[in-house]
Amino acid sequence: MIITMAECTTLDSLLEMGFDRNRAERAVAHTGNQGIERAMDWLMEHENDPDIDEPYVPPAGNTLSSTEEQIQSPTETSEFIDEEGDSKQPMTEEEKKEQVKRLEDLMKARQEERRERERQEEVDREKQRRKHGQELLQVKQKLQDDEMKKLADMRRKEKMEDKLAKQRVKDKIARDREERARKFGGGSSSTGLSSPPSEAPPQCPPENQGAPPAKKDYDDCRIQVRLLDGTTLSTVFKAQEPLAAVRVYVQMNGANGEDFNLITPYPRRVYTDLDMEKPLRELGLVPSAVLVVTKK
């Protein structure tokens, strides 16, 4: 069997370059004895394979096995013949060293190309990761902006309703005063002789005592919230704001994405989803209250 120069020297060249025999045999076998460069490329691509250092067992009829047998067979000629049939002498030690040096330089160049390619791939992955992170941040910011806008619209609506309610109360008080003035002032001109007694000051006290002083109406409500980790949050809401506004405030400042309940410790009360739509005044949390966050 004729053995070409490349087939004879690929395995030896890899061994002289310092590659383990198991790795060298695998590279030659898997590349089909197509040259040292192909074998080196295969080694660099598969250097992290889990079985790269295990003894190589070639299948029956493998080219590498038949080649090695012919190389080691004492009956075969030790003279190498190239593909054109020209007889060539084996390489000298100097030629082998020169070839090994050339192959080592080639391998270093290939490794540098591989490292550069891996660096570029890492840069591309980092760019993609940052782009993805920015997109997630933009989506999160948009959701927060929409939530804040919705909350602001709700507060404006509640302020307007509160203003209208106050105006209705003022109008009612004004009408009551006018009615009392007409009621107590109309009977003062009934008779001529008895006018002094009727015009006497005793008629004034009923006007001053007409209605008992109203209970103070608080517009603001101070809420203190004790979080799961023991820290507290404190802020001021409008008395007409729903309990949902407090829940949103806790979610944005200390809930860390966890689902939770709001309760009052004394007297103990767990607020439900239906309570979230009720104003703080209706829930008895005005002018101030302490709420506790608990896990669901």
Side-chain angles (χ1 to χ4, degrees):
M1 179 179 180
I2 298 175
I3 305 172
T4 64
M5 177 69 69
E7 292 174 341
C8 289
T9 60
T10 298
L11 180 61
D12 292 336
S13 298
L14 291 174
L15 294 176
E16 290 182 7
M17 292 173 65
F19 287 104
D20 182 74
R21 170 170 287 274
N22 293 332
R23 295 193 178 202
E25 290 178 352
R26 286 180 182 276
V28 173
H30 285 286
T31 57
N33 289 328
Q34 296 183 9
I36 185 68
E37 294 185 9
R38 293 288 300 274
M40 289 170 56
D41 290 341
W42 188 92
L43 283 171
M44 286 187 288
E45 292 175 0
H46 296 81
E47 63 180 356
N48 295 322
D49 289 357
D51 61 345
I52 189 67
D53 291 317
E54 295 180 3
Y56 177 67
V57 180
N62 182 268
T63 304
L64 177 61
S65 299
S66 60
T67 300
E68 289 182 340
E69 290 174 1
Q70 294 184 17
I71 293 174
Q72 297 173 359
S73 175
T75 60
E76 295 291 339
T77 179
S78 59
E79 183 177 359
F80 294 92
I81 305 174
D82 63 7
E83 295 179 355
E84 288 80 12
D86 296 334
S87 176
K88 289 189 177 181
Q89 294 296 327
M91 290 186 297
T92 63
E93 290 297 325
E94 189 66 26
E95 291 174 339
K96 288 183 180 180
K97 291 180 179 180
E98 183 178 351
Q99 184 182 22
V100 169
K101 184 178 184 304
R102 179 178 63 83
L103 294 176
E104 288 178 346
D105 293 340
L106 177 61
M107 184 175 181
K108 289 180 180 178
R110 295 289 177 84
Q111 289 175 340
E112 184 61 30
E113 291 176 0
R114 181 182 177 185
R115 285 193 292 267
E116 182 62 28
R117 184 171 63 253
E118 291 176 348
R119 282 196 295 266
Q120 186 60 42
E121 291 174 353
E122 182 65 24
V123 170
D124 294 340
R125 286 194 295 269
E126 180 65 18
K127 289 181 179 179
Q128 189 66 25
R129 185 188 65 80
R130 291 185 180 182
K131 180 181 178 182
H132 184 63
Q134 290 176 353
E135 291 175 352
L136 289 179
L137 185 61
Q138 291 175 357
V139 171
K140 183 178 179 181
Q141 185 64 41
K142 185 177 185 304
L143 291 176
Q144 290 181 349
D145 293 343
D146 293 343
E147 186 69 24
M148 292 300 296
K149 182 179 179 181
K150 181 179 178 182
L151 184 59
D153 292 340
M154 185 187 303
R155 288 185 176 180
R156 282 195 295 269
K157 182 178 179 181
E158 291 171 354
K159 288 180 180 179
M160 181 61 67
E161 293 176 352
D162 190 38
K163 183 178 180 181
L164 294 176
K166 288 181 180 180
Q167 187 62 42
R168 288 194 293 269
V169 172
K170 290 180 180 179
D171 294 342
K172 185 176 184 305
I173 292 174
R175 289 195 299 270
D176 290 344
R177 286 179 178 174
E178 292 176 359
E179 185 177 350
R180 287 197 300 271
R182 288 194 300 269
K183 180 179 179 181
F184 294 109
S188 59
S189 58
S190 57
T191 59
L193 296 176
S194 59
S195 57
S198 62
E199 294 176 358
Q203 296 295 335
C204 296
E207 183 175 357
N208 296 332
Q209 300 174 359
K215 186 178 180 181
K216 185 175 181 180
D217 189 14
Y218 293 94
D219 295 331
D220 296 328
C221 174
R222 176 170 291 278
I223 298 294
Q224 183 177 1
V225 182
R226 187 163 67 244
L227 302 178
L228 294 172
D229 59 0
T231 60
T232 58
L233 299 173
S234 179
T235 190
V236 177
F237 296 89
K238 291 296 181 181
Q240 293 298 324
E241 288 191 72
L243 185 59
V246 180
R247 183 179 182 85
V248 171
Y249 175 78
V250 175
Q251 288 175 336
M252 296 180 63
N253 292 274
N256 295 326
E258 297 182 3
D259 200 4
F260 59 90
N261 287 325
L262 291 175
I263 68 170
T264 50
Y266 306 106
R268 180 178 176 82
R269 176 179 178 182
V270 179
Y271 293 98
T272 64
D273 293 338
L274 296 177
D275 295 327
M276 294 298 152
E277 302 301 327
K278 297 179 181 179
L280 300 176
R281 186 192 307 279
E282 182 179 338
L283 295 173
L285 302 176
V286 178
S288 63
V290 175
L291 299 177
V292 179
V293 174
T294 61
K295 292 184 178 180
K296 272 194 173 182

